[in-house]
Amino acid sequence: TLFDSNRTSVLIFPLTTRFKIIAVKQFRPAIEKITVELPGGNIDPKDKNIVEAAKRELVEETGYRAEELLLLPNKLWLDPSTCTPYIYPLLALGCKKIKKPDNNENEDLRTVVLPPKLWMKMISNGKISDMKTLALTLLATSILKKQGG
């Protein structure tokens, strides 16, 4: 069965000015668990472009604003065998807290800021298991390593 949707999303790998990873904890009804994930969401018609959508989602979900937002190569496909939706991955650098996150009735988010070693440990021990978060972590960290970051 093909899951077809015209919804396109952004996913952000945000780093603070001290190179800590900003993530969100939220309850996911489909698995009945609280997950730790990278922030992101659907591109709205009012967004001028992909980067503007990512800026908006980052501030809404975490209360952080990025000094620099980089659109990374390669769309991330959720499951190209059965799903048409995809995600645009972005790297957000120099993030600073500017306000409280905007929680709405559909999202009850809690922002967490974690050092990279703890982030990777949480991935390896299964505490972070969201596929899109794992994919963007791999992509972003490999790009940062190439750049010497």
Side-chain angles (χ1 to χ4, degrees), residues 71-87:
L71 181 60
L72 300 180
N74 305 323
K75 297 172 187 170
L76 299 178
W77 296 93
L78 298 174
D79 179 356
S81 67
T82 59
C83 297
T84 61
Y86 53 86
I87 296 169

Side-chain angles (χ1 to χ4, degrees), residues 53-68:
K55 283 181 186 176
R56 177 186 51 75
E57 284 290 342
L58 183 61
V59 171
E60 283 178 8
E61 291 197 353
T62 68
Y64 280 79
R65 178 177 291 144
E67 185 177 293
E68 186 177 9

Side-chain angles (χ1 to χ4, degrees), residues 11 19 21 24 40 43 90 98 109 111 130 136 145:
L11 188 67
F19 298 100
I21 299 160
V24 292
I43 298 172
L90 294 99
I98 60 164
L109 307 173
T111 305
D130 171 60
L136 183 48
K145 282 181 185 174

Side-chain angles (χ1 to χ4, degrees), residues 5 12 18 21 26 32 38 42 49 52 55 57 62-63 73 76 85 87 91 93 97 104 111 120-121 135-136:
S5 172
I12 306 118
R18 295 180 178 248
I21 299 160
Q26 62 184 315
E32 297 183 344
L38 292 172
N42 292 325
N49 55 48
E52 289 299 315
K55 283 181 186 176
E57 284 290 342
T62 68
L76 299 178
I87 296 169
L91 176 60
L93 302 171
K97 183 91 167 175
N104 63 40
T111 305
M120 298 308 277
K121 184 177 180 181
L136 183 48

